[in-house]
Amino acid sequence: MTPKCPPCLSVIIPIYNESQNLHSALLGFQCLRELGAELILVDGGSNDGSQALLWQHRNLWDHCVVGSPGRARQMNAGAELARSELLMFLHLDSQLSAPPPINKMSELAAMGKWSYFTLKLSSKKFPYTWIASSINWRSRITANVTGDQVFCLSKKQFLDLGGYQDIPLMEDVALCDRLKHQARGVRLSTKVETSSRRWQKNGILKTIVMMWWFRFLYRCGVSPNSLAKRYYPNVNFDVYAAPSYQSLESIIQQATAEAS
């Protein structure tokens, strides 16, 4: 039997308690699989039924593991499973407006460069359009990129950097800082639409001020663990165990065996 060719792109998506949006989001990502990409889902121990939904819709993904919460460690776990030399770190509440230029992304990665997409928000009303434009201009001027804008880089470069730092907050800022020391990110014209729910739920001004304030504190040396406790007041980061992941299939099989 001829071995299956490796995917042209490994798309890594962290998940935590996203049962309400899970199915529709996965349907939206199928265009990536049609291009030859693999979808790697990493659940951080959801307790809202997400894992059952993932298993129900297992035809919509290629690999899925479950384990410790924390976006950084989840994405590191996904990168370990990646069979492609090109990685894309994508959030579940984001959707691409057009197929990504995989050939261009691969060329950049082969040269030791990394890329990211042009951001837009799901709400087309002002001031959400202004917020998205401001973020894009900030990235163009300062080269500061966040996870919402999608990091694309080679697996070798990612591993050489040591992956994401295992911190509960600011992991994307920390990764961007290390990437910038090697090369400036290349902004691609492909647009990634991310949900406006954070601004709509918490208020636009409050969200902007909070995001800038937390980045300022991080730059001043405040511990990401301390910042995470303020950003996620209902999460107990002191009880997080060391990263440990197992396949969703083995978890389902174990649960089925215990129930029978």
Side-chain angles (χ1 to χ4, degrees):
M1 180 181 294
T2 303
K4 187 176 181 180
C5 295
C8 62
L9 173 67
S10 293
V11 183
I12 299 159
I13 305 171
I15 296 170
Y16 186 73
N17 287 348
E18 289 282 1
S19 59
Q20 292 185 346
N21 309 307
L22 195 53
H23 185 225
S24 59
L26 290 177
L27 288 175
F29 296 144
Q30 296 312 297
C31 60
L32 295 169
R33 298 179 79 198
E34 292 170 2
L35 294 175
E38 64 175 354
L39 286 188
I40 301 174
L41 310 180
V42 187
D43 184 87
S46 297
N47 54 19
D48 68 337
S50 290
Q51 293 171 25
L53 276 174
L54 285 170
W55 186 247
Q56 179 183 347
H57 301 295
R58 54 189 177 275
N59 62 310
L60 300 179
W61 47 264
D62 299 286
H63 307 282
C64 182
V65 292
V66 180
S68 304
R71 183 174 283 174
R73 54 179 56 174
Q74 289 174 244
M75 292 188 289
N76 285 339
E80 290 183 10
L81 294 172
R83 296 191 301 118
S84 173
E85 287 302 312
L86 181 62
L87 306 181
M88 175 195 291
F89 295 95
L90 184 64
H91 292 174
L92 189 77
D93 62 356
S94 299
Q95 291 290 338
L96 300 179
S97 59
I102 295 179
N103 289 339
K104 176 68 173 178
M105 292 156 55
S106 298
E107 291 174 4
L108 292 170
M111 293 186 290
K113 298 181 180 181
W114 56 285
S115 56
Y116 63 97
F117 296 136
T118 301
L119 182 73
K120 68 176 182 177
L121 296 178
S122 56
S123 176
K124 306 304 184 293
K125 299 178 181 179
F126 183 86
Y128 298 102
T129 52
W130 172 82
I131 293 172
S133 296
S134 298
I135 292 173
N136 289 325
W137 274 106
R138 180 202 66 196
S139 298
R140 178 179 294 182
I141 296 170
T142 67
N144 289 318
V145 178
T146 63
D148 285 334
Q149 294 165 276
V150 186
F151 287 105
C152 306
L153 67 161
S154 72
K155 184 175 182 178
K156 181 182 184 304
Q157 184 180 25
F158 181 75
L159 295 178
D160 287 346
L161 287 171
Y164 281 95
Q165 288 182 246
D166 190 11
I167 52 180
L169 196 68
M170 298 294 165
E171 76 288 336
D172 53 349
V173 175
L175 178 64
C176 184
D177 286 346
R178 286 178 289 155
L179 285 169
K180 287 193 300 181
H181 282 127
Q182 296 187 347
R184 188 182 181 91
V186 177
R187 186 177 67 89
L188 302 172
S189 59
T190 302
K191 290 182 172 61
V192 57
E193 179 178 287
T194 192
S195 173
S196 307
R197 60 184 177 179
R198 178 171 46 186
W199 287 272
Q200 293 169 330
K201 178 181 178 181
N202 299 323
I204 294 173
L205 181 60
K206 180 181 177 181
T207 300
I208 292 175
V209 171
M210 181 177 63
M211 292 168 67
W212 278 99
W213 177 241
F214 273 68
R215 288 195 188 99
F216 172 76
L217 293 175
Y218 174 74
R219 297 293 187 198
C220 291
V222 177
S223 165
N225 292 71
S226 176
L227 294 175
K229 290 177 182 179
R230 302 186 211 178
Y231 194 81
Y232 302 110
N234 298 322
V235 179
N236 184 3
F237 289 93
D238 294 330
V239 302
Y240 275 11
S244 176
Y245 293 88
Q246 62 183 121
S247 70
L248 178 61
E249 181 178 8
S250 65
I251 291 176
I252 295 298
Q253 289 175 346
Q254 180 179 352
T256 302
E258 291 176 353
S260 60

